[in-house]
Amino acid sequence: MEKAVDVSCSPFKILIASPSGLTPSQVSIAFSDKYDRIPHPDSSLEDSITEIWNQRLQTNSSLFNGKKFRYGGFTFLSEGGSSNEDPHVRLHLGLTDYRTFVGTNLSPLWERFLVPSEDDSISCQHSSSPLGNGAIVETSDGKIVLLKRSNNVGEFPGHFVFPGGHPEPQELGIESHDDAKGFADPNTIDEKLSQEMFNSIIREVVEEIGVPPESLCNPVFIGVSRRELNVRPAAFFFMKCSLDSLEIQKLYTSAQDGYESTQLYTVPLVDVENMTLKMPGCHHGGFYLYKLMLQAANDNNITAD
């Protein structure tokens, strides 16, 4: 398992790389208000968040200011331990909302919210940075599933993406940090959050491409990628689907969230490489994480031989 990976001149930064693929028991969550966004000391910049949100509402009154989990960094719990110890990552999550995301990460002024620092959690401390997710789904005939985003979506219309969305605080009844205090055992909320990381990506894949959940193998966590443009982070997972390309194409026509995309592609690995030029940076980084996973598997096969 690796920390930040330097990929020079790329539209993404790899914050966490887990090429072996981590299961739910290897991914834990530290949920606290200390990982919430810190307001910027420039009051005029802070005021711009409300101004930009109100402008967006005037053009789209259906916008909903939902709660999101905020990415605040991570720790490796097995670091410095035995080489036989299973790798384990703890994600640091706070709370943010869509309004603050629109007013910071998606703002034309987004770079002014950044702090000069090599530490990503410090550099982005004034940004909303909601944690998105994405899935590299491999079909039974060895293809990778990609979607072309609708021209009506708010972010990267017309771009190629992997199925994904967000883990949702509302799934656990969380609207504030006070809601988390209602759990008798503090460890319970962290365990439920960890499971939501994995449940949410299955939910997103089912809703976006239309496959039944029983057709999906258990996902494994392969890392976190952050796009350089407006510093948006996303957790990526890998999962296999028992259906072939043709079966998935047929199911996609009745997908619950099919309105978010205009077309589904099932393509060989080499073709995905060519399509990364029209992907959001975080999804380009997700593909890089997938290639690291494939390389690790290949290296392990060579060692075994």
Side-chain angles (χ1 to χ4, degrees):
M1 189 153 55
E2 305 173 35
K3 296 184 180 180
V5 177
D6 180 21
V7 187
S8 300
C9 302
S10 292
F12 60 87
K13 180 179 180 180
I14 300 300
L15 303 181
I16 308 172
S18 304
S20 60
L22 304 185
T23 64
S25 66
Q26 295 172 286
V27 180
S28 60
I29 305 296
F31 180 61
S32 170
D33 58 7
K34 68 182 178 181
Y35 303 123
D36 288 358
R37 172 184 173 268
I38 298 173
H40 198 282
D42 183 337
S43 59
S44 64
L45 194 58
E46 278 295 297
D47 290 343
S48 73
I49 297 174
T50 299
E51 293 168 5
I52 290 172
W53 177 250
N54 289 338
Q55 290 169 8
R56 289 283 294 269
L57 281 176
Q58 288 176 6
T59 59
N60 184 359
S61 59
S62 65
L63 286 178
F64 173 66
N65 184 26
K67 292 291 184 181
K68 301 296 177 188
F69 289 116
R70 181 181 184 274
Y71 177 77
F74 66 96
T75 51
F76 287 141
L77 301 188
S78 60
E79 192 170 350
S82 166
S83 59
N84 295 323
E85 189 174 359
D86 286 339
H88 191 118
V89 66
R90 173 170 288 165
L91 301 178
H92 302 164
L93 298 184
L95 277 179
T96 186
D97 56 38
Y98 187 64
R99 169 187 168 276
T100 312
F101 173 53
V102 168
T104 58
N105 294 83
L106 298 188
S107 167
L109 307 174
W110 67 271
E111 289 176 292
R112 289 180 55 189
F113 284 96
L114 302 181
V115 176
S117 174
E118 292 298 315
D119 186 328
D120 200 74
S121 61
I122 294 175
S123 175
C124 300
Q125 64 185 4
H126 301 308
S127 298
S128 173
S129 299
L131 182 65
N133 61 21
I136 315 299
V137 179
E138 186 178 293
T139 67
S140 65
D141 52 337
K143 306 290 180 61
I144 302 299
V145 176
L146 281 168
L147 297 168
K148 186 175 184 181
R149 285 174 66 78
S150 164
N151 289 324
N152 299 320
V153 295
E155 286 186 81
F156 292 94
H159 282 61
F160 299 118
V161 294
F162 299 107
H166 301 84
E168 298 290 354
Q170 290 88 341
E171 288 291 325
L172 302 176
I174 295 175
E175 288 289 336
S176 71
H177 287 283
D178 287 339
D179 293 327
K181 296 174 184 176
F183 289 84
D185 182 353
N187 292 325
T188 302
I189 181 63
D190 291 343
E191 290 171 4
K192 288 184 176 295
L193 281 167
S194 176
Q195 194 58 54
E196 170 60 11
M197 292 297 114
F198 288 82
N199 290 346
S200 64
I201 193 59
I202 294 174
R203 200 165 57 236
E204 294 288 357
V205 170
V206 169
E207 292 174 359
E208 291 200 349
I209 70 175
V211 298
E214 58 270 20
S215 71
L216 299 171
C217 295
N218 292 332
V220 292
F221 172 82
I222 57 174
V224 174
S225 165
R226 192 206 72 193
R227 66 183 182 232
E228 294 289 19
L229 175 66
N230 64 42
V231 294
R232 172 69 185 277
F236 278 88
F237 300 79
F238 169 73
M239 66 180 77
K240 290 188 176 184
C241 181
S242 62
L243 304 176
D244 64 28
S245 297
L246 185 58
E247 291 172 310
I248 293 173
Q249 288 283 1
K250 289 179 179 177
L251 290 167
Y252 170 68
T253 59
S254 57
Q256 178 179 329
D257 287 351
Y259 63 89
E260 295 181 0
S261 59
T262 58
Q263 192 168 350
L264 180 144
Y265 300 84
T266 52
V267 296
L269 180 66
V270 65
D271 290 343
V272 180
E273 190 77 58
N274 297 330
M275 298 167 80
T276 57
L277 294 176
K278 202 175 180 184
M279 280 186 184
C282 48
H283 283 253
H284 191 166
F287 181 60
Y288 182 85
L289 289 168
Y290 173 62
K291 290 193 296 182
L292 290 180
M293 187 197 78
L294 294 179
Q295 183 60 53
N298 184 61
D299 292 345
N300 287 338
N301 288 337
I302 292 173
T303 302
D305 291 342

